[in-house]
Amino acid sequence: MQESKIIDAKVIVTCPGRNFVTLKIATSDGIYGVGDGTLNGRELAVSAYLQEHVIPCLLGRDPDRIEDTWQYLYRGAYWRRGPVTMAAIAAVDMALWDIKAKRANMPLYQLLGGRCREHVTVYSHTNGHDIPELLDSVAKHIELGYKAIRVQCAIPGVPDAYGVPHGDKPYEPADSGIPREEVWSTPKYLNFAPKMIEAVRTKFGPDLPLLHDAHHRLTPIEAAALGKSLEDFRLFWLEDATPAEDQQAFRLIRQHTTTPLAVGEVFNSIFDCQQLISERLIDYIRASLTHAGGITHMRRIASFADLYSVRTGCHGPTDVSPICMGAALHFDLSVPNFGIQEHMPHSAQTDEVFPHAYTFNNGYMHPGERSGHGVDIDEKLAARFPHKRMYLPIARLEDGTLHNW
């Protein structure tokens, strides 16, 4: 049989409410695959990297050599890692796995070793402009079937709390124009957060898994104090307690609290979490397939984490496309040390642009049985939604000092 070759690859940038970057790769035997390269606020940088540097190197290559192609794009570029490079590599990697599974005529999870569970437990986001509104949001999501809930709430005296929408629209931090500036107060947050979690626990009991995101805004000792103050409420995890560029900072947090820790949504490679995992400084690794080099590299991270009883909790926001969600669900179904999957439902408009096989039912998701990763892109519909320049916000303290958003 004649060897298949990559004969075409193109980048599709579309904005059905928010921007997404899709790479579509076609082969000489008539199969195509799609991958997600979305990087919130820097989409065109990834698009340019793919078009100017990656696609010319793909043409003529064997699409079946996924690991070799990954190494070629990573080691061969010399300038390694970073969010733009790794998102571009992820887009290629997802598309090639999609092609390989389509050629095998089986769902991707079968090629990854088959399923380790029947379905994927997911958690959703709840929020409120005050505690009563948050409690209502939690109740509504329980009615929808979610068995694990992330809780965020507006903080008295703080104009802009992370995870809380402006007005009554679903939370979406990216905005048009230049980056929006938000005001933050760590002391007010540390005073309020335990009261918020206590209110949720009091109303919904001890058995509901609760998650909370500090969003990199605390120093290590502040994070340690927060974790200690939340121990009685038995969080499923405290997410992104402090910026993790300094992996040793998590040693200090561990010394003071047994609250489970999760981190990694801004990580790009296994080296970003090597110490965190090997020293058991975290309990969940949250890197996403799109931002950490695709399925190939996330499998490497998960296998390494499994040695140290660290479980996965992949980032799954609306600022990665349904292609990433579909691929993540195949990954989640297949890895032995899966923990939980984040689920922020995309808009109806986005779902139309990206038809998919994955489903949600009673707190669980499943990637479906369609060959490949089960997600496609409607190019004609995508063309109706041109790119819009958007930025994530920045945060300043009350005295004007720039802070971690």
Side-chain angles (χ1 to χ4, degrees), residues 174-187:
D175 204 354
S176 58
I178 62 174
R180 183 178 69 252
E181 295 196 6
E182 298 182 345
V183 179
W184 177 252
S185 170
T186 299

Side-chain angles (χ1 to χ4, degrees), residues 224-271:
L226 177 62
K228 191 173 182 65
S229 71
L230 298 177
E231 284 182 3
D232 288 345
F233 308 124
R234 300 183 64 82
L235 283 185
F236 185 92
W237 76 35
L238 174 61
E239 176 183 338
D240 292 346
T242 192
E245 289 96 332
D246 178 10
Q247 296 185 43
Q248 295 185 46
F250 279 72
R251 286 186 191 167
L252 189 150
I253 304 174
R254 276 289 205 227
Q255 289 170 0
H256 292 278
T257 182
T258 58
T259 294
L261 303 173
V263 75
E265 68 184 51
V266 299
F267 289 174
N268 307 134
S269 81
I270 197 169
F271 302 106

Side-chain angles (χ1 to χ4, degrees), residues 125-365:
H125 294 192
T126 64
N127 53 58
H129 294 94
D130 53 30
I131 288 178
E133 189 173 281
L134 169 62
L135 297 177
D136 288 343
S137 180
V138 173
K140 290 176 183 176
H141 283 78
I142 292 173
E143 289 178 5
L144 291 172
Y146 287 101
K147 294 174 170 57
I149 304 288
R150 194 188 85 164
V151 293
Q152 311 289 142
C153 190
I155 302 161
V158 179
D160 303 289
Y162 169 75
V164 180
H166 294 270
D168 57 358
K169 294 182 179 180
Y171 179 67
E172 171 53 65
D175 204 354
S176 58
I178 62 174
R180 183 178 69 252
E181 295 196 6
E182 298 182 345
V183 179
W184 177 252
S185 170
T186 299
K188 291 174 182 175
Y189 165 73
L190 291 176
N191 181 53
F192 176 75
K195 300 173 185 176
M196 172 188 67
I197 301 297
E198 182 178 21
V200 178
R201 270 282 174 251
T202 299
K203 182 172 179 63
F204 296 100
D207 297 327
L208 177 65
L210 295 180
L211 305 87
H212 176 66
D213 186 359
H215 217 250
H216 307 108
R217 299 190 180 193
L218 306 178
T219 66
I221 198 64
E222 289 168 346
L226 177 62
K228 191 173 182 65
S229 71
L230 298 177
E231 284 182 3
D232 288 345
F233 308 124
R234 300 183 64 82
L235 283 185
F236 185 92
W237 76 35
L238 174 61
E239 176 183 338
D240 292 346
T242 192
E245 289 96 332
D246 178 10
Q247 296 185 43
Q248 295 185 46
F250 279 72
R251 286 186 191 167
L252 189 150
I253 304 174
R254 276 289 205 227
Q255 289 170 0
H256 292 278
T257 182
T258 58
T259 294
L261 303 173
V263 75
E265 68 184 51
V266 299
F267 289 174
N268 307 134
S269 81
I270 197 169
F271 302 106
D272 295 323
C273 53
Q274 181 178 5
Q275 183 179 9
L276 290 169
I277 291 171
S278 64
E279 296 188 18
R280 295 183 170 90
L281 302 180
I282 59 173
D283 302 280
Y284 296 89
I285 178 65
R286 298 204 63 252
S288 74
L289 273 67
T290 293
H291 300 144
I295 297 162
T296 296
H297 198 57
M298 274 302 300
R299 291 180 77 198
R300 191 166 290 125
I301 292 173
S303 294
F304 178 60
D306 195 28
L307 297 177
Y308 300 95
S309 300
V310 173
R311 292 185 285 175
T312 66
C314 287
H315 191 42
T318 51
D319 56 11
V320 294
S321 85
I323 294 171
C324 180
M325 175 57 76
L329 291 170
H330 285 275
F331 167 83
D332 296 336
L333 207 62
S334 67
V335 294
N337 57 323
F338 168 75
I340 201 166
Q341 169 68 52
E342 181 177 22
H343 178 224
M344 286 183 69
H346 289 97
S347 69
Q349 201 170 60
T350 296
D351 285 339
E352 289 178 9
V353 173
F354 295 93
H356 51 265
Y358 63 77
T359 55
F360 171 82
N361 183 41
N362 196 31
Y364 301 107
M365 293 185 73

Side-chain angles (χ1 to χ4, degrees), residues 37-50:
T38 304
L39 183 63
N40 199 344
R42 299 294 185 270
E43 296 88 358
L44 295 185
V46 180
S47 175
Y49 190 89
L50 284 166

